[in-house]
DNA sequence: GGGCAATGATGCTGAGAGGGTATCGATGGA
DNA sequence: TCCATCGATACCCTCTCAGCATCATTGCCC
């Protein structure tokens, strides 16, 4: 009792003739008749009323015909879907990224991606750099846009672009007009930075910049999100070292270049050996740089 | 590529272990592995990533698992439904009846039937006696409640009850108080009756009653429905001979017994040799008279 | 009414699908 | 390094399933 017998039965129901139905199934009538009889025996249900002159469906046969068509359509569709997912044309791509990337890079990547793969369900996960790596390794994400930390062998990474730390101060702050600042210019100022558990790379870059000049930052607040940091700076609660790419969102702060500003490589990471071919266009548009052509 | 391989794959996806999945399918691991490989080959899609240490689903496998569960559930449900329809517990019963029967017999039959076969979709078709016979023969109805005309060999009929013609006159009519009327009492009165093409039996009974007394009715109006006839009588447009069972619906007419009133047997007819077992409870409640116990 | 054509069922046969046993190869842990 | 685990492979056997030939029934036509 399988789909083959169901197909036989549908052919019979549509022709109401054993010989013609058998021909449609590319076989001869005797084994076809036996398959129908076997189907009825296995079901314990008479599906067709036969005489040597005509074949008619019983009510159970009518119902089984309707259901069989649906089952066979579902079966074929399942096979087709599997092939499409294997080709990366259908399926799902779970894409995680740092929250502050949502404002600049992500919209361009996404708009280009959906043009290339309109049938792929794109799940966007705004989260923190630390969680991106963890969820990539756990198989909960297919791709992650984050800072390029130490290269893990279980992750394949592609460079996207290089960000750069800069200082942000409230509008009207004494340092707002500087051409470039050094660590000692920040002596006595409260610094706002995300904790290392949220973004080890970013936190490391911030502390590294101070350390390189022999100083320690006076970190007073530790929010998780860069946008929160900008708000706190705007409110006059301190200054911060943030990726340059996110300044400009907040009109009430001013960015100032840093002396020997640390570079922050942004990479797209995905699990090594991923079978999700829906990932390929995303990696490809980053590899060939074509995502930059999309208007921001 | 059939449902068996789908079941194997679902077992594998749920256990992620070839040996355990094979055991669940009551077979040994080698042929099980071959079936999975054959499924992948036929689909042209890798569904699982194997190593000697672990088995994981590919994205295509995840999708195929989801679809396979739905297809298998549909398959099993189709088989179950076929059995239920064959037993008459599920399915459809298309029941046609004369419009005026809807007011008395049909509600009782239906309320008892749905208590016995709650899962059967009961399609109620109000129509005319002539059409009932025609649609029963065409296989468009499973049962019909109508006048028992000449017994057709293609139809099985069960007597339901015997109706009787009576005269209806407008309230306040000269004949309204009569104990019994004869055909000659109606001389000069306009008579309203349905045409023969709508109900040959009823029309025959009306004309037969007049003819038996050597008279011809002066039939002035020919509506199709008995309820329309009652309205026309109530409006003073004439008198009519109608089945006694329908009087009482219309307060503005009076029924008067006929001398030698023709009897009108009401029968339930169904196609001879019908395979619709959902019909059985309906026939049974009429055969044993239990439908009369239902409050009208 | 008898022959005939059409149609579904049945008997027999052969090829192949599918399952069992034994075993191999790879891999990770003790 | 040895061993246990686990999926793959080789080989064999059984039984399913399709083909061929034929039968049984039934309606049709001369």
């Amino acid at each position: 009792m399988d789909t083959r017998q169901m197909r036989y039965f549908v052919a019979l129901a549509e022709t109401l003739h054993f010989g013609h139905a058998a021909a449609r199934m590319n076989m001869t009538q005797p084994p076809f008749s036996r398959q129908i009889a076997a189907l009825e025996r296995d079901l314990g249900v008479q599906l067709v009323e036969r005489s040597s002159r005509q074949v008619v469906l019983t009510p159970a046969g009518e119902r089984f015909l309707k259901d069989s068509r649906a089952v066979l359509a579902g079966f074929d569709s399942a096979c087709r879907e599997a092939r499409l997912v294997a080709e990366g044309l259908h399926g799902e791509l779970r894409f995680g990224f740092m929250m502050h990337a949502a404002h600049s890079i992500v919209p361009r990547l996404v708009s280009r991606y959906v043009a290339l793969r309109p049938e792929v369900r794109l799940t966007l996960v705004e989260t923190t750099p630390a969680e991106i790596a963890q969820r990539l390794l756990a198989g909960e994400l297919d791709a992650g846009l984050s800072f390029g930390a130490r290269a893990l062998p279980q992750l394949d990474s592609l460079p996207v672009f290089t960000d750069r730390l800069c200082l942000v101060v409230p509008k009207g702050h004494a340092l707002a007009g500087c051409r470039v600042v050094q660590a000692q210019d920040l002596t006595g100022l409260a610094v706002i930075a995300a904790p290392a558990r949220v973004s080890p790379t970013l936190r490391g870059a911030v502390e590294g910049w101070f350390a390189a000049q022999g100083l320690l930052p006076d970190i007073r607040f530790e929010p998780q999100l860069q946008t929160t940091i900008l708000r706190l700076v705007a409110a006059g609660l301190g200054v911060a070292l943030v990726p340059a790419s996110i300044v400009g969102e907040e009109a009430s702060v001013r960015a100032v270049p840093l002396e020997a500003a640390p570079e922050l490589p942004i990479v797209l990471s995905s699990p090594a050996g991923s079978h999700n071919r829906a990932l390929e266009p995303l990696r490809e548009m980053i590899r060939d740089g074509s995502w930059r052509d999309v208007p921001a």
Side-chain angles (χ1 to χ4, degrees), chain A:
Chain A
M1 213 164 64
D2 59 4
T3 47
R4 182 169 40 89
Q5 291 175 324
M6 257 191 178
R7 284 183 212 280
Y8 291 174
F9 171 70
V10 171
L12 176 60
E14 285 175 353
T15 60
L16 293 177
H17 188 293
F18 279 74
H20 298 167
R24 183 188 290 189
M25 294 291 102
N26 298 310
M27 62 192 292
T28 56
Q29 171 262 322
F32 183 87
S33 291
R34 275 195 297 264
Q35 288 298 325
I36 296 294
L39 175 61
E40 289 182 323
R41 177 173 42 78
D42 293 343
L43 282 175
V45 169
Q46 188 175 356
L47 297 173
V48 292
E49 177 77 4
R50 319 125 153 87
S51 74
S52 66
R53 281 293 137 183
Q54 67 172 356
V55 173
V56 288
L57 293 182
T58 62
E62 291 280 6
R63 176 57 186 261
F64 195 63
L65 171 62
K66 191 163 148 279
D67 291 347
S68 292
R69 286 198 174 111
V71 168
L72 292 175
F75 184 90
D76 295 340
S77 153
C79 298
R80 212 175 317 117
E81 276 303 310
R83 293 193 187 99
L84 288 168
V85 173
E87 290 168 15
L89 297 177
H90 278 205
E92 186 182 13
L93 187 71
R94 297 158 303 177
F95 182 28
F97 49 88
M98 305 180 292
M99 309 244 183
H100 66 269
H103 301 279
S104 50
I105 318 171
V106 170
R108 291 200 272 177
L109 291 175
V110 167
S111 78
R112 185 167 172 83
Y113 186 85
V114 298
L116 293 170
R117 289 288 184 272
E119 299 297 327
V120 171
R121 189 153 54 92
L122 193 57
T123 302
L124 299 175
V125 182
E126 302 97 331
T127 179
T128 59
E131 199 174 320
I132 288 173
Q134 174 205 326
R135 295 184 67 175
L136 279 171
L137 294 173
E140 294 168 20
L141 288 177
D142 297 298
L145 189 75
S146 182
F147 294 118
R150 71 238 175 270
L152 289 169
Q154 306 99 311
L155 294 181
D156 280 341
S157 292
L158 288 174
V160 179
F161 84 113
T162 301
D163 211 338
R164 190 179 295 269
L165 271 192
C166 70
L167 176 73
V168 285
V169 296
K171 198 166 63 177
H173 190 275
L175 293 173
C178 289
R179 203 181 53 79
V180 63
V181 299
Q182 296 179 326
Q184 63 215 40
D185 299 331
L186 304 184
T187 310
L189 292 179
V191 176
I192 308 172
R197 68 180 154 75
V198 167
S199 174
T201 308
L202 200 51
R203 178 66 171 239
V206 171
E207 295 183 351
W209 182 75
F210 280 96
Q213 304 183 38
L215 294 173
L216 274 175
D218 175 19
I219 294 178
R220 207 76 65 79
F221 305 104
E222 293 191 319
Q224 306 207 3
L225 305 186
Q226 298 299 307
T227 51
T228 308
I229 293 178
L230 292 186
R231 294 278 156 71
L232 296 182
V233 170
L237 293 171
V239 301
L241 270 54
V242 300
S245 69
I246 67 164
V247 189
E249 298 170 23
E250 187 74 42
S252 49
V253 298
R254 289 289 172 267
V256 187
L258 296 182
E259 170 85 15
E263 293 194 338
L264 298 164
I266 309 285
V267 301
L268 180 84
S269 304
S270 45
S274 165
H275 280 76
N276 194 344
R277 291 191 55 189
L279 176 61
E280 292 174 6
L282 184 62
R283 287 177 61 90
E284 189 53 31
M285 76 179 71
I286 284 167
R287 200 176 292 119
D288 68 15
S290 60
W291 67 275
R292 298 177 191 275
D293 305 337
V294 181

